[in-house]
Structures are given as structure tokens and as C-alpha cells.
Amino acid sequence: MIKFGIIGTNWITQMFIEAALKTEAYTLTTIYSRSQTRAEAFLAQLPVDDVTLVTTLSDLFTAVDVVYIASPNALHFEQAKAAIQAGVHVIVEKPATSNPAEFAEIEALLAQNPAVRYFEAARHVHQPNFKRIEQTLGELPQVQGATLVYQKYSSRFDSYLAGEEPNVLTREFSAGALYDLGVYPIYAAIALFGAPRAVQYLPTLLANGADGKGVANLFYDGFNVTAIFGKNANSYLSSEIYGLKETIVTSNIAELETVTYHDGEGHVDNIGETPDANPMVQEAQDFADMINDPVSTHGQYRQWFQLAKQVNQTLFDLRSSAGIVFPADQKES
């Protein structure tokens, strides 16, 4: 069993814990929080016992094989660095780092610690329905681009409207629409089509300078991909991938509840399957397989690592095109 601990006591952490336990490959041993009271309240919601609560990272890292990091974006880099230096595998929520300079430092540190695995938790590209999209895309005689959508009104946006500064809507924490929900369509685009030759981001900025929603254009040879995402409005648009007259349609590019193939002649086939109620199960299983068998899975691990690296670069290029600067960028420069 893989002993794992968590950083971040929120709903996404609870979802990952449930997914990891469902695989039967992990056992939760340790919860880290700077607040003992918050950690106790979080533990009370979990179907587990015999879990240690710690308030220092050193105590966390000595107790686990792998750490799942779901803290605010701006904290991912330093916490992942500390884990790698302690010889602990890392599963870090997207976005893995704030900028390519941080990612490069992580890559260099991993080279010094070759036994450590570092995963970005982009759950949708691990799901069976995403694999079905990849397979069907490969069968199209021609590709003419895509429109990828993921826009949901944030549970924290009412707080922003009330004058507060939630972490997920501030540049100080390397956040905003692009570095949250926008990661899903950008990840999907690069996983499906590779790195774009150029990008453009057209954000709608909040009063604090963070992006509330936006449209990203990724330019490829012969076609474009448009990504629509946001945290201050809801969208019910489907995501579409265009062949010549064929179209692959999914409910949205992050949740992938349904996937259908339209042949352009009036025939529609359901090519997906009913997803697991917890969308993080497959990624948790994939990461466990790579931790338990690093040799035979090394090739796939390198592919996912390079995908994460390219996504990080593309996110940075997109927000640079819009003039959005994070404090983390100034620190690195």
C-alpha cells in the first residue's frame, strides 16, 4: 500500500482521498494543515481512522510515500520542492507551478532525485472518455480545429462581489480563470493536438487585475482551437472537435459526462461510457501504477511530464499575451 498524505483541506482534496481509497492502492496516513482545528474538522468528514494530523511539512514528509498538494496555486512550487528534496513522490493539483521558471527548477530537482515521481493532477486526460476522444480523433481523415468549453460560476465569486479577495480570484495566489478552469481546455488541446505555434488570450479582467473569464486562441498549422472558460458566469455549451463533416461532441471538456460522434450524414453514435461518480479515480490509479512499477511505466510517465511542461509554458504564453503578471513571475525574474 502507498502511504499518502495531503496538503490542502478542501473539497478537491476530499474527492482525491475518496478516489485514492477506492483504488485500494493507497492508505491515508497524514493530514497537514497550519491549523490543527481546521485539520480536525476536515478529518471528521472522512471515512477513515488512524490518521495523524501534523502542522509541519517535515513531519508530513517523514510519514508518507507520496503527497497530494491542493493548496493555493502560488504555494505549489515551494511545497513540491520540499517534498522532492525529502524523497517523497508528488501529486500536485493543476496548475503545477506558476510559470516555466518554477517548472524548470522542479525538473532540475527531479534530475537530482531520479527515484521521485512528480505528477500534475489533470484528471480529465486520464478518464476513459478522454481516451475515446483521442482514439476517434485519430480516425478522422482531416482535423479542422475545436471549441473547448468549461465555464462555471465559482462558489467564491459571491465573496469577491462582497468585497473580499478569495485566493482563487487573485493574481497574488497565481489564480484567476485561466489558471483554474482554463487549465482543462488547454490541457485537452495540447494532449490532443500538440503544442500550438502561437497563442492569444482575450480575458475579461476583474477590478483586482485577475481574469474572471476569457477566450484563448491556440493557432496550429491548418486549424485553430478556441477555449472558452470562466469563473464568474455559467456556460452550458458543449465542446466540439471538428473533422471535415464529422464532429466529436462532449458535454464539457472537463467533466466528459457524454461523448458522441456525429458523422455529418445524420447519424449520431454514443462513443463514451458512463463515467465514475468520482472523476479522479482513474488518475489516482494511473499514478499508483507508476509509483509501484516505475520501470515499465517510465515511458508513459515521461510523456505525461512533458505534457505538463508544455501546458505550463502555454498557460504562461497565454497570460503574457494579455499582460497578466503574477508576483511569482517577479520573484523568479
Side-chain angles (χ1 to χ4, degrees), residues 215-296:
V215 177
N217 295 307
L218 280 61
F219 303 102
Y220 293 84
D221 292 335
F223 63 88
N224 300 335
V225 173
T226 299
I228 302 169
F229 46 85
K231 295 177 67 64
N232 59 352
N234 286 313
S235 174
Y236 302 95
L237 295 174
S238 298
S239 291
E240 299 181 332
I241 300 169
Y242 311 114
L244 190 57
K245 57 182 177 180
E246 311 88 357
T247 307
I248 302 168
V249 181
T250 182
S251 47
N252 72 58
I253 199 58
E255 305 301 339
L256 303 171
E257 292 107 333
T258 61
V259 182
T260 54
Y261 173 77
H262 301 244
D263 70 356
E265 302 289 344
H267 302 292
V268 180
D269 292 323
N270 178 15
I271 60 172
E273 60 183 65
T274 302
D276 195 291
N278 186 319
M280 304 178 84
V281 171
Q282 189 58 57
E283 69 169 0
Q285 184 63 63
D286 287 345
F287 299 154
D289 292 343
M290 291 190 169
I291 290 170
N292 287 326
D293 185 8
V295 176
S296 68

Side-chain angles (χ1 to χ4, degrees), residues 282-317:
Q282 189 58 57
E283 69 169 0
Q285 184 63 63
D286 287 345
F287 299 154
D289 292 343
M290 291 190 169
I291 290 170
N292 287 326
D293 185 8
V295 176
S296 68
T297 61
H298 183 71
Q300 182 64 73
Y301 168 72
R302 291 305 304 171
Q303 288 181 28
W304 282 338
F305 185 85
Q306 291 302 317
L307 175 59
K309 182 178 180 178
Q310 185 58 62
V311 169
N312 187 271
Q313 181 66 56
T314 302
L315 291 171
F316 179 77
D317 292 342

Side-chain angles (χ1 to χ4, degrees), residues 115-132:
V116 174
R117 292 289 178 262
Y118 176 88
F119 308 102
E120 184 171 32
R123 66 177 188 264
H124 59 318
V125 299
H126 295 268
Q127 292 181 34
N129 279 351
F130 193 85
K131 303 302 182 184
R132 292 293 295 149

Side-chain angles (χ1 to χ4, degrees), residues 36-92:
Q36 180 80 11
T37 301
R38 188 180 301 118
E40 290 172 352
F42 182 73
L43 178 58
Q45 305 173 53
L46 302 177
V48 295
D49 51 25
D50 196 25
V51 175
T52 302
L53 307 181
V54 300
T55 56
T56 68
L57 290 178
S58 59
D59 287 341
L60 170 64
F61 296 147
T62 57
V64 300
D65 303 311
V66 59
V67 61
Y68 171 75
I69 299 174
S71 54
N73 295 350
L75 304 182
H76 291 179
F77 171 58
E78 292 293 347
Q79 292 169 344
K81 272 180 60 178
I84 295 167
Q85 290 168 333
V88 173
H89 303 297
V90 174
I91 300 170
V92 58

